[in-house]
Amino acid sequence: MANKLFDVAPEILIGIAIDVVVRGQGSFVAGFGVTDPLQQVYLLGALTLAIWVFESIFEFAYLVLWRNLAQDLQHELRSSAYAHVQNLDLAYFEDRSSGGLVAILNDDVNQLERFLNGGASELIQVVVTVLACGAVFFAISPQIAVMAFLPIPVILWGAFYFQRKAGPRYDVVREKVSALSGRLSNNLAGIATIRSFAAEERELERLRQESMAYVAANRHAIRLSSAFVPLIRMAILFGFLCTFVRGGQLVLEGHLQAGFYAVLVFLTQRLLWPLTRLAETIDLFERAMASTRRILGLLATPYSIRDAEQTLPDHPARGEIALKDLHFTYANGSEVLHGVDLTIAAGRTLALVGATGGGKSSLIKLLLRFYEPSRGEIRLDGRPLAAYPLSWLRSQIGWVAQDVFLFDGSVRDNIAYGRPGASEADIVNAAMAAEAHEFILRLPQGYDTPVGERGVKLSGGQRQRLSIARALLKDPPVLLLDEATSAVDNETEAAIQRSLARLAHQRTVIVIAHRLSTIVQADQIAVIEQGRVVECGTHPELIARGGSYAALWRVQTGTA
């Protein structure tokens, strides 16, 4: 505001200078006690210097402070949105592309920052300019002031009309951005598959279609915003001509001093010309509002997995797990578990076997509280899972998944992910226990070797051994193993099995396995078919029973 007030002042000084030259000792400045025309010019020169200095100081201040404010706001908004995303149910991510979420957290937040950085300050300066110039106009000539302000209602009407029309168009633009980001993210993640099928041209064409849809949506919005500028210019021309012609008449008739006439002519430009940028500002505003609606929509997304409002237990879990009449149905209506009852004593191993799609992996997700049961409950050490704070519960569980996810960082960073403050000795010991130490030393930079995005620079077996080392270093009382050896060679499988045997020592272990030879020593084996436990017992007991497990064993051992 201060910058804009000093910015308007030079036009007033020019008019006063003209008044000094024309009227001399009878000028406006003479009324303040400086009667000599030359002294009046010196005074106006000094005032001009001071005004320019202060304008520059305040411009520097508002550019730095306002832009930093915009940066702080976008940082806080992005951080808040990401914090909320981390709490959302897993089902939310299964129904949406990661590229679309990245577009909201990055591109939409940046779009809002662009408006805050430029458009919002522009609106404030326009308001200050109108008020400051209006005060001068009405002080000099109320008649000309009314004429000069006549275009402003037309300009404001046009701005609000444009805003109402542009809003839906920019909503479409933001949706097209999400679709384009999703396509790019998906294709970059699957670049090897695209090449293996020689599908580069097909995927390029699909990307072009998404990109052209984005371009078309933008063009639809641009046509509307472009029509606003000529309307503003015509309104400004009308206000300027009114001031120019009527002010000239008043000067010729002796009702207005020439210096004041100059002030009004200059200030008409200063008053109305910034309004030409109102179209650009409204354009920025509508883009920002379209982005803001998407960000606020994300922040308003509810989640069902709520944290328990209890203090953290002061001791680790024993590891006793009980599943009571457990039912689970996904949001799409697909019921995958039907009344599962199982009990695992602390320090024991339970193996889950059965055909793919039977509900075994869903059971693992329920144990981690990624989902809530539709009916029934899961108890840990005699208490429902929901009674424990999520951070504590998940700190007590180690998870080695079939599809290992490694973060883009070093080998050391990925092993220590569960214990960021772990010592070098602990990291090396965990790697040795996972039989990963030797291959790590053969890497170009040893433990400092970057693994690439999702661990792309390592083989499947190497990634799996790092995930086991990560679980060993975390040292949880409960361990969940989801097909940890399904995609490796025999030698790697043997190494992983030895690592898992060390990892399972004195822990409660639930392991999903298709290779029955890896779980014959389990304390308990449950056969799950179509979401139900159809058999349960030890390996010898189930073989002797001659049921589903025995049939699977005969198929895998070739004795069928």
Side-chain angles (χ1 to χ4, degrees):
M1 291 171 67
N3 168 255
K4 187 50 59 177
L5 290 174
F6 281 110
D7 187 42
V8 170
E11 277 81 357
I12 300 174
L13 290 180
I14 291 172
I16 295 174
I18 292 173
D19 185 55
V20 168
V21 172
V22 172
R23 298 172 61 200
Q25 293 183 354
S27 69
F28 174 76
V29 177
F32 293 94
V34 183
T35 56
D36 181 60
L38 187 58
Q39 294 296 322
Q40 293 177 19
V41 171
Y42 290 153
L43 176 60
L44 291 176
L47 286 173
T48 301
L49 175 62
I51 285 170
W52 278 82
V53 168
F54 280 109
E55 181 194 357
S56 300
I57 291 172
F58 282 112
E59 182 168 12
F60 173 79
Y62 103 74
L63 287 175
V64 171
L65 295 174
W66 188 268
R67 289 179 177 178
N68 284 338
L69 175 62
Q71 294 297 319
D72 290 341
L73 285 170
Q74 66 131 344
H75 164 71
E76 292 293 339
L77 187 57
R78 182 181 287 113
S79 299
S80 296
Y82 176 71
H84 183 76
V85 165
Q86 290 195 129
N87 290 325
L88 292 177
D89 299 342
L90 218 59
Y92 178 85
F93 300 96
E94 293 171 352
D95 294 335
R96 288 162 181 80
S97 72
S98 58
L101 283 173
V102 169
I104 294 175
L105 293 171
N106 189 47
D107 193 60
D108 282 326
V109 173
N110 287 342
Q111 188 69 54
L112 179 58
E113 183 264 336
R114 280 191 284 273
F115 169 71
L116 293 172
N117 196 29
S121 62
E122 184 72 27
L123 285 175
I124 293 173
Q125 292 190 27
V126 166
V127 171
V128 173
T129 300
V130 169
L131 292 177
C133 293
V136 175
F137 264 85
F138 279 98
I140 295 175
S141 175
Q143 180 185 148
I144 296 179
V146 171
M147 292 181 177
F149 273 73
L150 278 177
I152 292 182
V154 176
I155 294 170
L156 292 178
W157 172 83
F160 286 112
Y161 175 81
F162 167 73
Q163 178 187 340
R164 288 195 304 273
K165 293 291 186 181
R169 301 190 185 196
Y170 283 121
D171 285 338
V172 175
V173 170
R174 302 319 305 162
E175 290 300 324
K176 297 302 181 184
V177 167
S178 281
L180 183 58
S181 297
R183 173 68 60 194
L184 286 168
S185 177
N186 189 64
N187 284 14
L188 291 174
I191 193 70
T193 303
I194 291 172
R195 289 180 175 178
S196 71
F197 283 92
E200 292 93 339
E201 284 300 320
R202 186 164 72 248
E203 290 301 331
L204 177 59
E205 181 58 31
R206 292 169 72 180
L207 180 66
R208 281 175 176 158
Q209 290 176 6
E210 298 280 8
S211 183
M212 282 307 301
Y214 171 59
V215 169
N218 255 316
R219 284 175 176 167
H220 189 51
I222 289 169
R223 277 196 297 270
L224 182 62
S225 63
S226 299
F228 182 52
V229 176
L231 172 68
I232 298 294
R233 287 181 180 273
M234 290 300 100
I236 288 171
L237 176 61
F238 176 79
F240 180 75
L241 287 176
C242 285
T243 305
F244 187 78
V245 173
R246 182 54 184 159
Q249 289 176 347
L250 292 175
V251 171
L252 293 175
E253 294 169 0
H255 300 302
L256 184 67
Q257 298 297 331
F260 288 141
Y261 173 60
V263 170
L264 294 179
V265 170
F266 285 125
L267 283 187
T268 303
Q269 285 281 92
R270 176 64 69 176
L271 171 67
L272 298 177
W273 191 251
L275 295 175
T276 60
R277 296 196 298 273
L278 197 59
E280 181 181 345
T281 303
I282 296 294
D283 186 74
L284 274 176
F285 173 77
E286 280 306 326
R287 289 177 181 271
M289 288 305 100
S291 294
T292 301
R293 284 189 288 271
R294 283 158 48 84
I295 298 167
L296 294 180
L298 177 61
L299 284 167
T301 303
Y303 50 89
S304 60
I305 309 297
R306 297 288 174 176
D307 210 347
E309 297 180 0
Q310 297 188 17
T311 57
L312 295 176
D314 57 1
H315 57 83
R318 296 194 316 275
E320 178 186 325
I321 297 174
L323 285 63
K324 302 293 185 182
D325 191 30
L326 196 64
H327 293 255
F328 178 62
T329 303
Y330 282 103
N332 61 8
S334 173
E335 188 173 359
V336 293
L337 295 176
H338 311 270
V340 174
D341 287 291
L342 285 170
T343 301
I344 309 104
R348 299 291 183 173
T349 297
L350 167 69
L352 303 176
V353 301
T356 300
K360 301 183 297 297
S361 293
S362 297
L363 188 58
I364 294 292
K365 294 174 183 177
L366 289 171
L367 286 164
L368 286 162
R369 279 201 78 198
F370 290 162
Y371 296 93
E372 295 283 33
S374 306
R375 200 166 80 231
E377 66 176 4
I378 303 174
R379 288 180 170 268
L380 174 64
D381 296 342
R383 297 175 61 190
L385 291 188
Y388 296 105
L390 279 172
S391 60
W392 182 87
L393 173 67
R394 290 170 182 166
S395 72
Q396 304 301 299
I397 300 175
W399 181 34
V400 179
Q402 177 181 357
D403 182 18
V404 176
F405 188 94
L406 298 182
F407 293 90
D408 190 6
S410 68
V411 169
R412 176 184 288 100
D413 293 338
N414 276 279
I415 294 176
Y417 190 76
R419 273 178 57 194
S423 66
E424 183 72 14
D426 288 340
I427 293 172
V428 172
N429 288 336
M432 292 178 70
E435 300 199 20
H437 181 66
E438 290 186 7
F439 90 75
I440 292 173
L441 292 181
R442 291 195 297 269
L443 295 174
Q445 297 168 256
Y447 281 84
D448 294 317
T449 302
V451 302
E453 188 175 3
R454 299 181 65 92
V456 69
K457 295 182 179 180
L458 303 178
S459 69
Q462 289 173 333
R463 291 196 296 270
Q464 195 64 270
R465 279 188 259 188
L466 285 189
S467 75
I468 294 171
R470 183 164 61 188
L472 278 165
L473 187 61
K474 184 180 179 182
D475 195 23
V478 178
L479 182 63
L480 308 178
L481 306 174
D482 189 355
E483 287 294 327
T485 62
S486 63
V488 296
D489 57 61
N490 291 333
E491 181 181 350
T492 303
E493 180 188 1
I496 291 175
Q497 286 298 332
R498 291 192 297 270
S499 302
L500 292 177
R502 300 186 191 98
L503 187 56
H505 182 61
Q506 294 184 336
R507 303 176 202 274
T508 301
V509 179
I510 298 177
V511 54
I512 296 174
H514 283 116
R515 298 183 187 180
L516 302 186
S517 59
T518 64
I519 49 94
V520 293
Q521 301 300 323
D523 299 298
Q524 189 178 0
I525 300 171
V527 182
I528 298 181
E529 293 181 358
Q530 297 182 353
R532 292 181 172 85
V533 178
V534 295
E535 287 184 329
C536 192
T538 63
H539 175 74
E541 291 171 350
L542 294 175
I543 292 294
R545 193 173 300 171
S548 299
Y549 181 84
L552 287 171
W553 179 260
R554 288 194 298 271
V555 169
Q556 291 195 13
T557 57
T559 58

